[in-house]
PDB file of all heavy atoms in Angstrom:
ATOM      1  N   ARG E1578     -66.632  70.915 -43.377  1.00 44.00           N
ATOM      2  CA  ARG E1578     -65.449  70.567 -44.146  1.00 44.00           C
ATOM      3  C   ARG E1578     -64.702  69.378 -43.570  1.00 44.00           C
ATOM      4  O   ARG E1578     -63.979  68.714 -44.278  1.00 44.00           O
ATOM      5  CB  ARG E1578     -64.535  71.778 -44.249  1.00 44.00           C
ATOM      6  CG  ARG E1578     -65.097  72.848 -45.192  1.00 44.00           C
ATOM      7  CD  ARG E1578     -64.202  74.040 -45.273  1.00 44.00           C
ATOM      8  NE  ARG E1578     -64.702  74.967 -46.294  1.00 44.00           N
ATOM      9  CZ  ARG E1578     -64.220  76.177 -46.465  1.00 44.00           C
ATOM     10  NH1 ARG E1578     -63.245  76.613 -45.704  1.00 44.00           N
ATOM     11  NH2 ARG E1578     -64.704  76.959 -47.407  1.00 44.00           N
ATOM     12  N   ALA E1579     -64.804  69.132 -42.289  1.00 62.00           N
ATOM     13  CA  ALA E1579     -64.102  67.990 -41.704  1.00 62.00           C
ATOM     14  C   ALA E1579     -65.023  67.268 -40.737  1.00 62.00           C
ATOM     15  O   ALA E1579     -64.617  66.825 -39.690  1.00 62.00           O
ATOM     16  CB  ALA E1579     -62.829  68.443 -41.002  1.00 62.00           C
ATOM     17  N   GLY E1580     -66.273  67.174 -41.087  1.00 69.00           N
ATOM     18  CA  GLY E1580     -67.252  66.555 -40.199  1.00 69.00           C
ATOM     19  C   GLY E1580     -67.239  65.037 -40.293  1.00 69.00           C
ATOM     20  O   GLY E1580     -66.533  64.445 -41.105  1.00 69.00           O
ATOM     21  N   PRO E1581     -68.064  64.393 -39.464  1.00 75.00           N
ATOM     22  CA  PRO E1581     -68.096  62.936 -39.441  1.00 75.00           C
ATOM     23  C   PRO E1581     -68.967  62.310 -40.515  1.00 75.00           C
ATOM     24  O   PRO E1581     -69.051  61.091 -40.596  1.00 75.00           O
ATOM     25  CB  PRO E1581     -68.651  62.630 -38.044  1.00 75.00           C
ATOM     26  CG  PRO E1581     -69.473  63.822 -37.698  1.00 75.00           C
ATOM     27  CD  PRO E1581     -68.819  64.994 -38.359  1.00 75.00           C
ATOM     28  N   LEU E1582     -69.632  63.121 -41.347  1.00 69.00           N
ATOM     29  CA  LEU E1582     -70.439  62.617 -42.453  1.00 69.00           C
ATOM     30  C   LEU E1582     -69.970  63.240 -43.760  1.00 69.00           C
ATOM     31  O   LEU E1582     -69.548  64.392 -43.787  1.00 69.00           O
ATOM     32  CB  LEU E1582     -71.919  62.983 -42.257  1.00 69.00           C
ATOM     33  CG  LEU E1582     -72.787  62.101 -41.366  1.00 69.00           C
ATOM     34  CD1 LEU E1582     -74.187  62.681 -41.294  1.00 69.00           C
ATOM     35  CD2 LEU E1582     -72.850  60.686 -41.880  1.00 69.00           C
ATOM     36  N   PRO E1583     -70.066  62.496 -44.874  1.00 64.00           N
ATOM     37  CA  PRO E1583     -69.757  63.101 -46.172  1.00 64.00           C
ATOM     38  C   PRO E1583     -70.924  63.956 -46.636  1.00 64.00           C
ATOM     39  O   PRO E1583     -71.894  63.474 -47.206  1.00 64.00           O
ATOM     40  CB  PRO E1583     -69.557  61.884 -47.084  1.00 64.00           C
ATOM     41  CG  PRO E1583     -70.386  60.806 -46.464  1.00 64.00           C
ATOM     42  CD  PRO E1583     -70.369  61.065 -44.979  1.00 64.00           C
ATOM     43  N   ARG E1584     -70.836  65.267 -46.376  1.00 63.00           N
ATOM     44  CA  ARG E1584     -71.918  66.173 -46.735  1.00 63.00           C
ATOM     45  C   ARG E1584     -71.377  67.364 -47.491  1.00 63.00           C
ATOM     46  O   ARG E1584     -70.181  67.591 -47.563  1.00 63.00           O
ATOM     47  CB  ARG E1584     -72.637  66.689 -45.467  1.00 63.00           C
ATOM     48  CG  ARG E1584     -73.360  65.638 -44.682  1.00 63.00           C
ATOM     49  CD  ARG E1584     -74.038  66.266 -43.481  1.00 63.00           C
ATOM     50  NE  ARG E1584     -75.118  67.160 -43.864  1.00 63.00           N
ATOM     51  CZ  ARG E1584     -75.418  68.272 -43.195  1.00 63.00           C
ATOM     52  NH1 ARG E1584     -74.705  68.644 -42.151  1.00 63.00           N
ATOM     53  NH2 ARG E1584     -76.421  69.028 -43.578  1.00 63.00           N
ATOM     54  N   GLY E1585     -72.313  68.142 -48.037  1.00 61.00           N
ATOM     55  CA  GLY E1585     -71.944  69.376 -48.692  1.00 61.00           C
ATOM     56  C   GLY E1585     -71.000  69.154 -49.852  1.00 61.00           C
ATOM     57  O   GLY E1585     -71.067  68.166 -50.573  1.00 61.00           O
ATOM     58  N   GLU E1586     -70.092  70.106 -50.050  1.00 60.00           N
ATOM     59  CA  GLU E1586     -69.177  70.049 -51.177  1.00 60.00           C
ATOM     60  C   GLU E1586     -68.255  68.840 -51.080  1.00 60.00           C
ATOM     61  O   GLU E1586     -67.883  68.253 -52.096  1.00 60.00           O
ATOM     62  CB  GLU E1586     -68.358  71.336 -51.244  1.00 60.00           C
ATOM     63  CG  GLU E1586     -67.641  71.522 -52.568  1.00 60.00           C
ATOM     64  CD  GLU E1586     -66.926  72.854 -52.637  1.00 60.00           C
ATOM     65  OE1 GLU E1586     -66.369  73.284 -51.610  1.00 60.00           O
ATOM     66  OE2 GLU E1586     -66.927  73.449 -53.722  1.00 60.00           O
ATOM     67  N   GLU E1587     -67.886  68.438 -49.865  1.00 61.00           N
ATOM     68  CA  GLU E1587     -67.032  67.264 -49.715  1.00 61.00           C
ATOM     69  C   GLU E1587     -67.695  66.041 -50.319  1.00 61.00           C
ATOM     70  O   GLU E1587     -67.048  65.196 -50.942  1.00 61.00           O
ATOM     71  CB  GLU E1587     -66.742  66.995 -48.227  1.00 61.00           C
ATOM     72  CG  GLU E1587     -65.999  68.107 -47.510  1.00 61.00           C
ATOM     73  CD  GLU E1587     -64.517  68.133 -47.824  1.00 61.00           C
ATOM     74  OE1 GLU E1587     -64.081  67.419 -48.739  1.00 61.00           O
ATOM     75  OE2 GLU E1587     -63.795  68.878 -47.152  1.00 61.00           O
ATOM     76  N   ALA E1588     -69.001  65.905 -50.140  1.00 61.00           N
ATOM     77  CA  ALA E1588     -69.727  64.771 -50.711  1.00 61.00           C
ATOM     78  C   ALA E1588     -69.936  64.951 -52.204  1.00 61.00           C
ATOM     79  O   ALA E1588     -69.784  64.011 -52.989  1.00 61.00           O
ATOM     80  CB  ALA E1588     -71.066  64.604 -50.003  1.00 61.00           C
ATOM     81  N   ALA E1589     -70.280  66.175 -52.594  1.00 60.00           N
ATOM     82  CA  ALA E1589     -70.587  66.431 -53.997  1.00 60.00           C
ATOM     83  C   ALA E1589     -69.408  66.141 -54.908  1.00 60.00           C
ATOM     84  O   ALA E1589     -69.569  65.660 -56.024  1.00 60.00           O
ATOM     85  CB  ALA E1589     -71.027  67.877 -54.170  1.00 60.00           C
ATOM     86  N   LEU E1590     -68.204  66.441 -54.439  1.00 63.00           N
ATOM     87  CA  LEU E1590     -67.015  66.285 -55.268  1.00 63.00           C
ATOM     88  C   LEU E1590     -66.155  65.108 -54.834  1.00 63.00           C
ATOM     89  O   LEU E1590     -65.007  64.987 -55.236  1.00 63.00           O
ATOM     90  CB  LEU E1590     -66.194  67.580 -55.246  1.00 63.00           C
ATOM     91  CG  LEU E1590     -66.958  68.830 -55.694  1.00 63.00           C
ATOM     92  CD1 LEU E1590     -66.046  70.038 -55.705  1.00 63.00           C
ATOM     93  CD2 LEU E1590     -67.598  68.635 -57.056  1.00 63.00           C
ATOM     94  N   ALA E1591     -66.732  64.232 -53.997  1.00 66.00           N
ATOM     95  CA  ALA E1591     -66.000  63.031 -53.592  1.00 66.00           C
ATOM     96  C   ALA E1591     -65.691  62.188 -54.820  1.00 66.00           C
ATOM     97  O   ALA E1591     -66.511  62.063 -55.726  1.00 66.00           O
ATOM     98  CB  ALA E1591     -66.817  62.230 -52.585  1.00 66.00           C
ATOM     99  N   GLY E1592     -64.524  61.630 -54.839  1.00 77.00           N
ATOM    100  CA  GLY E1592     -64.160  60.816 -55.990  1.00 77.00           C
ATOM    101  C   GLY E1592     -62.970  59.945 -55.672  1.00 77.00           C
ATOM    102  O   GLY E1592     -62.318  60.107 -54.647  1.00 77.00           O
TER     103      GLY E1592
END
Side-chain angles (χ1 to χ4, degrees):
R1578 288 179 174 171
L1582 277 178
R1584 295 181 67 215
E1586 195 176 38
E1587 298 283 10
L1590 303 183

